[in-house]
Amino acid sequence: QVQLVESGGGLVQPGGSLRLSCAASGRILGIGAMGWYRQAPGKQRELVATISTGGTTNYADFVKGRFTISRDNAKNAVYLQMNSLKPEDTAGYYCNADITSKRDRGLPFMYNYWGQGTQVTVSL
């Protein structure tokens, strides 16, 4: 069974930094695009950043120049370095990935997975 597990959230003051990590585990054959999304209370989940297998990145306008997404294909992991954090960045942050996994029988199984989320709170 494939799992995505995030870590690195917490409470930080405005202007501070956090680094989120997400590691995939299970019978993984390959991972395609990976990304980070966030959801604040009462709001819809929104894209923060994505990264392709080859390293091509895409960012939401509201994080450009402040956040950096990266991945380590050998570790099946994706990271989000968040700098110059603002109170409006407060949200649950969720890891997302397209993962192909091995099954006991039949062809490999491709699915889009979500992590359980990690809370980021930016406040004095």
Side-chain angles (χ1 to χ4, degrees):
Q1 185 174 354
V2 172
Q3 283 189 314
L4 292 175
V5 178
E6 301 103 330
S7 61
L11 173 64
V12 64
Q13 293 185 351
S17 298
L18 282 175
R19 185 174 188 251
L20 305 183
S21 300
C22 172
S25 63
R27 304 173 71 183
I28 296 170
L29 295 175
I31 302 179
M34 304 183 83
W36 290 94
Y37 292 71
R38 72 185 188 185
Q39 187 169 19
K43 294 187 177 181
Q44 290 189 332
R45 189 169 295 188
E46 60 184 358
L47 170 72
V48 175
T50 62
I51 185 168
S52 71
T53 304
T56 300
T57 58
N58 178 55
Y59 295 93
D61 287 342
F62 53 77
V63 302
K64 283 182 179 177
R66 300 189 299 125
F67 292 8
T68 302
I69 188 170
S70 61
R71 65 189 286 170
D72 185 333
N73 292 329
K75 295 182 178 180
N76 292 332
V78 63
Y79 309 97
L80 186 67
Q81 177 65 44
M82 305 186 294
N83 299 327
S84 302
L85 283 161
K86 305 174 181 180
E88 52 263 44
D89 293 319
T90 296
Y93 283 71
Y94 298 86
C95 175
N96 177 269
D98 292 326
I99 298 176
T100 300
S101 60
K102 181 178 175 61
R103 295 191 291 184
D104 289 337
R105 297 180 180 179
L107 295 172
F109 177 67
M110 182 177 174
Y111 190 74
N112 182 259
Y113 291 89
W114 290 93
Q116 83 288 350
T118 185
Q119 178 66 31
V120 171
T121 302
V122 185
S123 179
L124 291 172

